[in-house]
Amino acid sequence: MGSALFLILACAEPPAPWEGPVLTQPREALTVAQLQDTQTLELLDMSFFARPDWAEDSSREFSGTLRFEDSELLAPKDRESYEGEDSFPALTLELVSDGGLLHAQPMGVIDTRAESASYWDVYVGTGAIWEEPDDGGWSRASLPVNLLGRYVGEVRNCVATWVFDDTQTSNVYLQCSQETAVLDAGQLGDLRAMLPVGFTPLEADPALLAEAQARYAARIPVEPLAELDAEGEIAAHFDRDHVTNASTSLGGVYWDGTLYLHPAATRHGPFPYPQDMRHGVFSVTKSMAGALAMFTLAERYGDEVFDAQIVDYVPALADLPEWQGVSFSHCLNMVTGTRAGEDLLYEPLELAPDSETAIQNIAAFGDYPEAPGEAFNYATTNTFVLSYAMERYVQEREGPDAHYWDIVHDSVLVPIGAQDFAVLHTRDEAPQDRVPILGLGGLPSADSALKIALLIANEGEHNGQQLLSRTRVREALGREDFEGYKAWSGLRYRHSFWVQSVRVGGCKVELTYMEGLGDNRVVLFPSGAVSLQFTDEFDDDFKELVRAVEGLHSSCD
């Protein structure tokens, strides 16, 4: 599947850059009258969804609930729709403004299955409110909305906007012009909808506001990439066209306490809320979540968890000869010796209706001739087996209601301020039975991805507290006597992190990095720099990016 998709992408011609009109005063689109109508508009530049320079502060705050019902999404494509894919889901948002910012509750992933037939779950970020002189006394609101697919962790990056006064709102208009969704290579994914809503004014909840303010204030400081990258060499990498005229959803480089972000490209102009974009990072999840979970359990229970045996925690595999001797570490490092591969991913795991069916499917794969630990064989199903086993390992120690991802969230993500990082789970009917797929489905923002990367780079320590096993993290970073496993040409694999050396000037720099389908990538530089690139268009050559970053802050010294 991956190679065929690569050929589609490599042969495609990028479309011409967007040349549609941008917002000017007075506005010609998303007017008060249009937002009070039911007609879906043509595709618009993202500037129409953002606060313009000539706007004024809103004379009123926004505090209340917006209630959405299942509504039609205009979603042109060259394939049949998934069930519920063309529907915006029913959900209720509680919103409160403060100082021009608009905060939403719930603050994490909104699972819409209980009250909607839509395919999409939702993640809402922090937006804005303002007023424009030509709106006749109405105030405006704008909100980043991320639509999350339930099969492979795809994300559609959208913005919603509406007008309001003290007692009522208009309809809400939504447009999605960027995504990380490589399995939809045959279509660009532009979604639009005019969404009717019910509005209930409420007094602002002080606790909600305080929590939202604290989360917003805890973000890593952000500056334009141009301040770090004066010659534009890093930006040139992020701007390379592939299939669309906006191939990189978001790119940036962290250095010395600041994240330098390149403007977040969409097919219709820059995304107004880059820090509130969520990204489907596919196999980056193996490092960002899989390794993170294993390092967390090793710190909590001892490093010997790496030697725990899969057959002791996965009953469906307990009597199979090929799984005897396979440890948690073997699964993390892709050296199980069992039959596996990405050709066995889609139907056995991604389409499985629940975790038990997925495990039974994997049990039927069979064996390879190598013994555990002998040969690298990359397979997302190995990571899922590890996830299933970790769930039972934790429940054996902490009771049947314990879930390992809750432990990771509470003991690691919350302390580092990355509690907005979420992972895709299996689709079991009962929520308590759902298990992280773990080999794909990570849904980070730039901020949460960076905070996890910095925790790894700092050997699992945060503010003087050891959150992860230092020994196991040091092994992943090549700082202990553990070489990992030889993968493909010139690459090694250590505890789910890729390792590659790149010649820069007079030295070779060994890079430890996370990588996922589409060439999503988080690179840890020995210098202390971190680069982020979220994309779905197979930008597989990142050596020039490495050299550009190294040219600013060398790891060779």
Side-chain angles (χ1 to χ4, degrees):
M1 179 174 61
S3 59
L5 185 59
F6 176 79
L7 289 175
I8 292 172
L9 294 169
C11 296
E13 285 292 331
W18 168 250
E19 295 182 351
V22 299
L23 177 62
T24 57
Q25 187 180 12
R27 67 168 51 238
E28 296 180 354
L30 295 177
T31 64
V32 172
Q34 288 175 330
L35 289 169
Q36 292 174 325
D37 196 3
T38 59
Q39 183 177 354
T40 301
L41 306 179
E42 296 300 317
L43 289 165
L44 298 169
D45 191 90
M46 280 285 137
S47 60
F48 284 92
F49 294 83
R51 174 174 173 155
D53 293 340
W54 37 266
E56 302 170 354
D57 293 340
S58 176
S59 60
R60 57 177 66 87
E61 297 291 349
F62 189 96
S63 181
T65 62
L66 286 182
R67 171 65 191 175
F68 297 83
E69 301 297 335
D70 281 7
S71 302
E72 182 182 4
L73 275 172
L74 183 60
K77 60 183 71 68
D78 59 3
R79 58 164 175 77
E80 292 187 8
S81 298
Y82 310 138
E83 184 177 355
E85 188 182 20
D86 297 338
S87 176
F88 187 86
L91 73 152
T92 300
L93 295 177
E94 184 175 347
L95 299 167
V96 58
S97 63
D98 170 60
L101 298 176
L102 184 61
H103 303 291
Q105 174 74 24
M107 296 182 187
V109 173
I110 303 172
D111 185 338
T112 67
R113 278 171 278 196
E115 53 183 337
S116 172
S118 174
Y119 166 80
W120 304 104
D121 292 328
V122 175
Y123 206 124
V124 179
T126 297
I129 63 169
W130 68 91
E131 287 184 4
E132 297 179 11
D134 302 302
D135 282 345
W138 290 82
S139 297
R140 284 187 176 266
S142 174
L143 198 66
V145 177
N146 300 274
L147 299 181
L148 316 175
R150 297 198 189 107
Y151 286 91
V152 296
E154 65 174 306
V155 179
R156 307 281 175 164
N157 303 121
C158 319
V159 186
T161 190
W162 65 96
V163 295
F164 65 94
D165 62 17
D166 295 319
T167 62
Q168 60 184 325
T169 72
S170 67
N171 298 316
V172 172
Y173 194 69
L174 179 88
Q175 181 174 309
C176 314
S177 293
Q178 183 57 288
E179 68 280 324
T180 34
V182 295
L183 297 185
D184 279 342
Q187 58 113 349
L188 296 179
D190 297 322
L191 309 181
R192 291 170 285 154
M194 186 69 81
L195 304 170
V197 294
F199 173 59
T200 304
L202 294 174
E203 289 293 325
D205 183 341
L208 164 62
L209 184 57
E211 181 183 2
Q213 289 170 331
R215 287 198 186 192
Y216 192 82
R219 293 179 175 183
I220 291 173
V222 168
E223 297 292 344
L225 178 62
E227 292 193 9
L228 180 73
D229 180 38
E231 300 300 318
E233 295 182 3
I234 299 171
H237 176 85
F238 296 143
D239 285 338
R240 289 197 304 213
D241 287 338
H242 295 278
V243 174
T244 78
N245 57 43
S247 58
T248 295
S249 296
L250 194 65
V253 174
Y254 169 87
W255 178 254
D256 194 24
T258 299
L259 175 58
Y260 296 90
L261 280 182
H262 196 44
T266 80
R267 288 179 293 279
H268 307 105
F271 195 81
Y273 303 103
Q275 291 177 267
D276 288 276
M277 299 174 85
R278 296 301 181 271
H279 308 277
V281 295
F282 301 94
S283 287
V284 165
T285 314
K286 294 178 173 70
S287 319
M288 193 173 288
L292 188 75
M294 279 293 289
F295 298 156
T296 301
L297 299 194
E299 179 63 20
R300 190 179 185 92
Y301 305 116
D303 285 334
E304 57 268 25
V305 66
F306 271 62
D307 300 320
Q309 298 294 293
I310 292 295
V311 295
D312 292 336
Y313 299 97
V314 187
L317 306 181
D319 297 328
L320 298 180
E322 61 265 30
W323 284 96
Q324 306 307 308
V326 177
S327 68
F328 284 23
S329 178
H330 290 142
C331 284
L332 186 67
N333 284 284
M334 301 295 178
V335 288
T336 65
T338 64
R339 180 172 181 260
E342 297 304 76
D343 59 322
L344 298 170
L345 169 61
Y346 186 57
E347 291 188 5
L349 178 55
E350 293 175 350
L351 295 187
D354 53 59
S355 58
E356 293 300 329
T357 301
I359 285 293
Q360 292 292 340
N361 291 340
I362 293 168
F365 285 173
D367 200 4
Y368 273 161
E370 295 85 6
E374 286 187 351
F376 177 83
N377 182 29
Y378 187 86
T380 296
T381 51
N382 285 336
T383 317
F384 177 70
V385 169
L386 174 62
S387 180
Y388 187 103
M390 284 194 290
E391 187 81 334
R392 273 61 188 173
Y393 184 97
V394 165
Q395 290 173 347
E396 182 179 278
R397 284 152 181 78
E398 308 205 17
D401 295 330
H403 301 285
Y404 80 84
W405 191 251
D406 290 343
I407 292 172
V408 174
H409 179 271
D410 295 344
S411 66
V412 177
L413 297 177
V414 171
I416 68 174
Q419 59 265 57
D420 70 339
F421 176 56
V423 294
L424 186 69
H425 285 60
T426 55
R427 298 188 307 282
D428 301 68
E429 183 174 347
Q432 65 269 22
D433 294 335
R434 296 170 189 163
V435 179
I437 292 178
L438 206 61
L440 51 78
L443 302 167
S445 63
D447 189 76
S448 59
L450 179 55
K451 286 173 176 174
I452 294 169
L454 292 175
L455 179 65
I456 298 296
N458 202 38
E459 301 182 354
E461 183 179 329
H462 176 73
N463 288 343
Q465 182 180 5
Q466 195 66 38
L467 304 180
L468 311 177
S469 165
R470 186 180 295 274
T471 297
R472 296 305 188 184
V473 177
R474 284 179 58 83
E475 288 175 350
L477 295 172
R479 299 173 185 173
E480 294 285 345
D481 187 21
F482 175 68
E483 292 186 355
Y485 297 89
K486 184 178 179 181
W488 301 306
S489 177
L491 300 178
R492 301 192 71 81
Y493 202 69
R494 293 192 299 237
H495 295 339
S496 84
F497 290 84
W498 295 97
V499 183
Q500 181 177 175
S501 293
V502 176
R503 180 165 294 281
V504 181
C507 79
K508 277 190 175 182
V509 177
E510 184 177 273
L511 303 165
T512 301
Y513 60 100
M514 318 175 195
E515 184 166 316
L517 187 65
D519 290 305
N520 288 278
R521 195 176 289 112
V522 179
V523 183
L524 308 180
F525 290 77
S527 66
V530 178
S531 69
L532 309 173
Q533 184 174 12
F534 301 122
T535 180
D536 56 11
E537 302 192 45
F538 291 86
D539 184 12
D540 60 342
D541 183 6
F542 71 109
K543 291 183 180 179
E544 290 306 314
L545 172 65
V546 169
R547 295 185 178 108
V549 174
E550 284 289 313
L552 296 175
H553 300 288
S554 176
S555 300
C556 296
D557 298 336

